[in-house]
Amino acid sequence: MAITINGSGITSSEILDGTLTEADWGGNQLSHRNLIINGAMQVAQRGTSSTFGIGYSFVLDRWQGYGYGSNSLTLSQQSFTVGQTDVPNFTKYLRATSTSGKIFLQQKVEDIERVVGEHTLSFYAKSSDITSANALQMQPVQRFGSGGSTASWGTQYYFTLTSSWQRFTLTFTPDSISGKTVGSGSSYDIVFSTNDGTSDYTGTVDITGVQLEVGSVATPFEHRSYGEELERCQRYYYRVYGPNSNPRVRLGVGGWGNATSGHIIVHLPTTMRAVPSLTVVSAAQALLENVAWYTITANLMADATPSMADVIFNVASSASSNGKVAFIGNGGGTELDYRFDSEL
Amino acid sequence: MEQINITSAQYNVDTLTGNNVSIQATIDSIEMSVPLDPANRHYAEIMRQVEAGTLTIQEAD
């Protein structure tokens, strides 16, 4: 009796005699196909919406925008209507709105040597106002990292958006990297912009379901759980946040070195891509042995690895504290917001 | 396009060893501690601007 899987003609005899080949499932691996992280736009550790000006900025994890004018680009996470069927099985999408200059949105795929040979990009997109022919561009960039060969911008590909969701697919082969020098922090960048090769377009683009995979076939989007996607994102960015009320959040535990400073050890939830930079948005308070809280006046990072950070805190003064246990935490009307960044 | 604006950079020192351990920098108007890791994009950009002669890292106080 023949066994048929998805009508592709895989028979019991093929399984038994070992002739099952990649071609039987379209030439692609069955899981871990998607090289894009957060392609379904689920994870937004930094927040769900932000408007920024000239320069690079992230909102949704792993998706980096570039603003061309003051307060010119807004990136936000949007929710689909429950039960919608336009983009089945998706709950979120990214909305990019530019008021000055083109929309620029990219994701850097870590390690340029992972993106060699034929690949297929697929994504869902629409626009209410950028519907001119070929107004959405994707141009890949090969970046060879610190000490590596000079970056190379690839072929420009164009797509025409409508006001309805469409799935777009593109099969292409990146330029050969044979003979190139690859340094640390190399990447293969998928760069979207609203430019038709001649003109820039301002307006709004909605996008989700971005997938980059090996081979010539655009397979169905590989859905991953929120937890799995968050863990992947935390290789590049990790935020510890606690509001100025409950729940109580602790950055880590350490000790006081003297009356005005101490060290806190932070164990990062996954090994990050590189040693992260530390940005302290809200400095919170330092706790002396569960006795008293002191307002932190400054933070800096001392020794760190991709999996651990030693954060030095300073306070104006404290009670006798040398050698005693310290915490950094929120509470008492003070917010805690520490951000570890090892993005490409 | 693709300008990264660094307005200040100063080494942080481990007070126990006296060694430089990170750089306190203001990058695109955000203050951060940047590790001395060439794979870190902020450090790589700091060093690129230092080599280009457009940025100087101040010694620690």
Side-chain angles (χ1 to χ4, degrees), chain B residues 41-58:
Chain B
R41 78 181 196 281
H42 298 124
Y43 181 73
E45 178 63 19
I46 288 171
M47 297 315 293
R48 190 192 69 77
Q49 294 194 17
V50 168
E51 290 171 9
T54 57
L55 179 69
T56 300
I57 307 173
Q58 305 297 319

Side-chain angles (χ1 to χ4, degrees), chain A residues 56 273 275 277-278 301 341, chain B residues 2 22 33 37 39-42:
Chain A
Y56 286 111
R273 182 193 65 81
V275 181
S277 301
L278 169 63
M301 193 165 62
D341 185 340
Chain B
E2 300 188 34
S22 60
S33 285
D37 179 0
N40 179 289
R41 78 181 196 281
H42 298 124

